[in-house]
Amino acid sequence: MARKQKRKQSGIVYSTNPDFSYETENQAQQETSPPGEQQLRVWRESKGGGKQVTIVRDFVGSDDDLKDLGKQLKSHCGVGGSTKNGEILIQGDQRDKVVTYLQKQGYSAKSAGG
């Protein structure tokens, strides 16, 4: 079954401008900053049931690039995880591995909490 994608339009119903085009939320994503300009923070939190989760915050860029970085981190740590709400979630307390990997990739990353 195909997933329906919600498109949030700007609230404009009709425009008399012949050059007007609707911008959806997906089209208006910001460009991804180069790794050297990113200031990432790595947190550890306890989720339901006392399970530990490592969270990478403050990524500046598109959702696709965030998902790609999340896949790389999951693969490097050998664990599962997800990307949602602009954050990368990695299962377990993987802060040291994540920070080391991000720094090798050129990101400015530090362990910030937990």
Side-chain angles (χ1 to χ4, degrees):
M1 239 186 341
R3 287 171 102 185
K4 283 188 178 179
Q5 228 179 3
K6 286 187 179 181
R7 292 189 320 175
K8 293 185 179 181
Q9 294 180 345
S10 61
I12 296 175
V13 177
Y14 179 79
S15 174
T16 57
N17 182 352
D19 297 326
F20 180 82
S21 67
Y22 284 105
E23 271 194 35
T24 62
E25 195 174 286
N26 293 339
Q27 294 171 337
Q29 290 181 358
Q30 56 179 285
E31 253 184 59
T32 303
S33 298
E37 295 177 10
Q38 300 264 6
Q39 301 269 330
L40 302 180
R41 293 182 300 150
V42 181
W43 296 76
R44 179 187 51 84
E45 288 186 5
S46 295
K47 294 293 180 183
K51 295 185 179 185
Q52 306 260 329
V53 177
T54 302
I55 301 174
V56 179
R57 294 186 173 138
D58 298 338
F59 181 82
V60 178
S62 70
D63 288 341
D64 291 338
D65 291 336
L66 180 70
K67 286 180 184 178
D68 289 342
L69 181 59
K71 284 180 185 178
Q72 293 170 11
L73 288 171
K74 290 187 296 185
S75 176
H76 177 74
C77 295
V79 296
S82 64
T83 56
K84 56 183 168 183
N85 301 328
E87 298 177 336
I88 300 171
L89 289 86
I90 305 292
Q91 292 177 349
D93 185 0
Q94 306 288 336
R95 286 178 294 178
D96 294 337
K97 283 184 181 180
V98 168
V99 168
T100 303
Y101 180 81
L102 290 172
Q103 289 173 344
K104 284 183 182 177
Q105 299 303 312
Y107 291 93
S108 174
K110 63 179 182 177
S111 185

